[in-house]
Amino acid sequence: MTEAQEIETGARARTRRAIVEAAVRELARDSAASLGQIADAAGVGRTTLHRYFPDRAELLAAVGAETVARLTEVHARARVDEGDARAALRRLCPEYLLLGDLLTLLFTGVVPDAVLDGEGAAPLAALVARGHREGSIDPELDVEWVVGVVWAQLYLAWATLREGQAARHDIVPMLVRTVDKAVAP
Amino acid sequence: MTEAQEIETGARARTRRAIVEAAVRELARDSAASLGQIADAAGVGRTTLHRYFPDRAELLAAVGAETVARLTEVHARARVDEGDARAALRRLCPEYLLLGDLLTLLFTGVVPDAVLDGEGAAPLAALVARGHREGSIDPELDVEWVVGVVWAQLYLAWATLREGQAARHDIVPMLVRTVDKAVAP
DNA sequence: CCGAAGTGGAACATTGATGTTCCAACATGG
DNA sequence: CCATGTTGGAACATCAATGTTCCACTTCGG
């Protein structure tokens, strides 16, 4: 009965993890990164990578699954239903930022958009809709537009951090400030 | 003395234009589009494409030049030095949006970033700096951050338009509204 | 109308990525 | 210590993209 969740030894789990993490890093840097580059970045041979992920599509699927998992974590941790919607959004931004390179993959569509459209954007869209009802979020702005503005600024913030052009403690306040002001009624 | 600016017959100029335009369109859709796809989209043979642009790098350079030219046009047309900086920014957004797929290429870095950093972002950065001095733009926000927020939302607006998820007359007011509120002091 | 300019397609060589197979090395826990 | 699980690398076949050459066909201006 271990079909869905294969049991793996310590070594296998560790190697698998290293490969997926390297894939996230390299694909964020260059969405056309070759499997060879990813294997190098993971510190494993290309053969080993193919042992875990027979082809590129399976590796991308694993990255997608990782994304969904991390996204679910963030939503669970952020308690998006507490307080007024705009305040929840202010709390949510720094949490999302912890997704790091996954933000890049989501925003640039390396991971199939279905992920973002489904599991990914739904809680945020619901939060914005609640803000509309409560009156804490500008009614002139579509839910979709607000969601887009949030994602776009998260992506921007991460890209800035990643390239070392600013430090986290400088970026986060500006991110929260521009998101909050943009969506305020 | 026609070294820098080759004189071309009507036919050559037309074909060249068609290729560059198709390249912009296809590369915006998929930054890894093959030369064959681009040639097809331009309605010319792959051989003809190679006649105009011996290799991929030269085609990308031509796209870069096109980008600079269009960007220069926008800056010339927008009269960024008139009125207060925030008002100028409100006028500027719809103009930038006319860049269409070029926004995608700029934002996703298909065109070498040097273009954006140099000719591209300078006038906008100058506008924001003026806004800081005048007090019409939030002094808590870095010039770089404000510039990033503007580009990110322009990219978002174009992506939304391109995918037909909203009409221009719905998007533009929301774009201007969120940009303006975000940068207001 | 005719010659030059422009074009498309077939054919080819080259290259880099991909995926597979096989084997030698190695650690590691029983 | 040794059987098993795990790994890396070499070698190979395949494939798609790239860039080149050559030739036949249009077309369009003088």
Side-chain angles (χ1 to χ4, degrees), chain B residues 162-183:
Chain B
R162 149 180 258 277
E163 292 174 16
Q165 291 170 3
R168 189 170 227 103
H169 63 268
D170 290 325
I171 287 292
V172 172
M174 292 196 290
L175 167 66
V176 173
R177 189 175 178 95
T178 49
V179 166
D180 190 56
K181 290 199 298 178
V183 307

Side-chain angles (χ1 to χ4, degrees), chain A residues 66-76 96 99 102 106 115-116 119-121 151:
Chain A
E66 170 79 3
T67 304
V68 170
R70 296 281 310 277
L71 222 34
T72 306
E73 273 178 42
V74 167
H75 291 141
Y96 271 134
L99 291 174
L102 291 178
L106 279 167
V115 172
L116 212 170
E119 198 122 7
W151 280 111

Side-chain angles (χ1 to χ4, degrees), chain B residues 76-92:
Chain B
R77 198 178 335 125
R79 304 222 144 273
V80 287
D81 296 328
E82 296 183 5
D84 79 291
R86 224 173 96 213
L89 185 55
R90 281 193 299 267
R91 272 181 283 126
L92 197 49

Side-chain angles (χ1 to χ4, degrees), chain A residues 19-32:
Chain A
I19 293 173
V20 172
E21 282 171 8
V24 169
R25 219 175 322 130
E26 293 300 297
L27 290 173
R29 196 180 50 74
D30 171 13
S31 66

